[in-house]
Amino acid sequence: MRVLVAGDRGYIGAVLVPFLRGAGHRVDGLDAGLYEGCDFGAGPEGTGARPALDIRDAQAGELAGYDAVICLAALSNDPLGDLNPGATYSVNLDGTLQLARAAKAAGVGRFLFASSCSLYGAAGSGAVAEDADLYPVTAYGETKVQAERALSALADDNFSPTYLRNATAYGASPRLRLDIVVNNLTAVAMTTGEVRLQSDGTPWRPLVHIEDISRAFLAMLEAPRELVHGEAFNVGRAQDNVQVRQIAEMVRDAVPGSAVSFAEGAGPDLRNYRVDFAKLDETFPDLKLRWSVRDGIEELAGAFARYGLTYEDFTSSRFVRLRRIRELLTAGTVDEMLRRTAPQPG
């Protein structure tokens, strides 16, 4: 199958693209290139063949000939949404729909959308399934809700969207992020000896390794159309619904000499939800997600040690999306809507 991955140069894309190629698919990428040079190790494989392209500018002619489009491209966390909610809506909602309409016009049959369990927002401690009410508490979560609904309106006999509501991602990547909970706590423990929590540790989080996200995308890409057409799937494992303090304790156990601490005045986080993954298990009984949180922490600690991650790396813009975007804004490389002010070479 010929596949285009939008967001191939990001955290998940850098793992997903070689995973799909390893399964025999022909894969190209499309990316705005905001994180070029933010590499962990050798950097992503094979991303230089295409020039940088913002999904808000995608046209049908650029998507012709593909069997499927996978949309990972997004401003991908809550602090970025707080920086400029308008930019988050522009990229995550308007950009997704521009890409989808271009794909549909080009005759692309499948559209796999990287949604998020964050659209459940403040659902609480009861595990929520795909038919639950949605309570997003951030601009990021709200854009995922609206994008799913708008994509559903585009669905027809020739255009088939599927929504992968991924749990909070973790794991090592050539385009590493340290602004997500498991990666962050492991990195701070490795570089300071302290597993420092900004909340009281009580909120629940569903977690999933980026290789298992890739595994789920592959399964849905190859599934019969009628199995996934217009369907949403929570992506993760039931046993990986954990409280933040449990993650901290697993990190402490994996990093010798580290200790758990709490920021002054730490209180509960509004983002608090557990997720039911039964639909994924029942629809894809042969799909075996393989990574436990504990194994992922061990992988991260090993990678951080191997590449010599320092506290200066941890606090730099290379691995924290908000800091990188602020750096680009200060340099005038992008405008307030995060469009490049000059063409970006491939």
Side-chain angles (χ1 to χ4, degrees):
M1 193 177 292
R2 191 171 178 217
V3 183
L4 180 69
V5 175
D8 68 305
R9 305 181 195 182
Y11 173 61
I12 297 174
V15 172
L16 175 63
V17 168
F19 192 89
L20 296 179
R21 287 175 177 158
H25 297 284
R26 296 169 56 200
V27 185
D28 293 316
L30 182 159
D31 197 288
L34 297 181
Y35 306 115
E36 293 307 293
C38 299
D39 299 333
F40 184 60
E45 298 176 8
T47 60
R50 285 174 160 255
L53 178 67
D54 193 309
I55 57 172
R56 292 172 285 185
D57 299 322
Q59 300 297 319
E62 294 155 336
L63 277 61
Y66 289 100
D67 302 299
V69 168
I70 294 175
C71 182
L72 302 176
L75 296 179
S76 55
N77 66 4
D78 300 328
L80 274 178
D82 294 338
L83 178 66
N84 184 351
T88 293
Y89 278 86
S90 178
V91 175
N92 295 9
L93 180 57
D94 300 341
T96 295
L97 296 182
Q98 177 64 28
L99 182 69
R101 293 187 186 108
K104 183 173 181 176
V108 179
R110 295 279 185 98
F111 191 90
L112 275 60
F113 176 58
S115 189
S116 170
C117 286
S118 67
L119 45 68
Y120 299 119
S125 59
V128 292
E130 289 82 355
D131 58 355
D133 292 333
L134 306 177
Y135 296 102
V137 296
T138 64
Y140 173 72
E142 181 61 33
T143 61
K144 294 298 185 181
V145 173
Q146 292 190 29
E148 283 194 19
R149 291 171 179 166
L151 289 170
S152 295
L154 294 176
D156 59 23
D157 291 342
N158 300 311
F159 184 73
S160 181
T162 303
Y163 319 110
L164 285 79
R165 294 178 179 173
N166 300 312
T168 300
Y170 66 90
S173 166
R175 280 279 162 85
L176 182 68
R177 286 180 58 190
L178 296 181
D179 50 10
I180 40 184
V181 62
V182 176
N183 297 6
N184 177 276
L185 293 179
T186 306
V188 75
M190 290 286 292
T191 57
T192 71
E194 188 175 23
V195 190
R196 187 168 180 80
L197 296 182
Q198 299 302 314
S199 76
D200 63 5
T202 60
W204 288 89
R205 289 285 188 281
L207 302 167
V208 64
H209 194 281
I210 49 177
E211 185 182 284
D212 281 341
I213 291 175
S214 301
R215 197 165 275 116
F217 268 108
L218 177 63
M220 295 185 198
L221 183 68
E222 296 180 341
R225 183 183 189 275
E226 61 273 14
L227 199 64
V228 298
H229 175 71
E231 296 289 338
F233 294 92
N234 294 333
V235 177
R237 309 188 313 161
Q239 57 267 47
D240 295 326
N241 281 300
V242 299
Q243 289 177 289
V244 173
R245 66 188 178 202
Q246 293 174 284
I247 304 170
E249 290 163 359
M250 286 187 275
V251 171
R252 178 199 60 203
D253 294 343
V255 180
S258 63
V260 178
S261 66
F262 296 86
E264 184 177 350
D269 191 323
L270 286 176
R271 298 166 300 167
N272 178 37
Y273 52 95
R274 297 175 63 206
V275 174
D276 185 334
F277 299 105
K279 181 178 178 180
L280 182 72
D281 295 337
E282 293 164 4
T283 308
F284 296 93
D286 296 328
L287 174 61
K288 305 300 181 187
L289 303 188
R290 301 177 184 178
W291 285 85
S292 70
V293 178
R294 194 174 297 275
D295 288 342
I297 291 168
E298 295 283 356
E299 176 209 31
L300 285 162
F304 295 161
R306 184 164 61 254
Y307 290 113
L309 186 78
T310 66
Y311 185 72
E312 287 70 27
D313 294 328
F314 175 72
T315 57
S316 75
S317 63
R318 283 172 60 202
F319 306 130
V320 177
R321 296 299 186 245
L322 178 60
R323 291 174 188 160
R324 170 63 170 176
I325 294 301
R326 282 179 167 159
E327 183 179 74
L328 294 176
L329 285 165
T330 299
T333 307
V334 297
D335 64 21
E336 63 178 8
M337 297 304 290
L338 306 189
R339 286 189 171 277
R340 286 198 172 272
T341 55
Q344 172 75 358

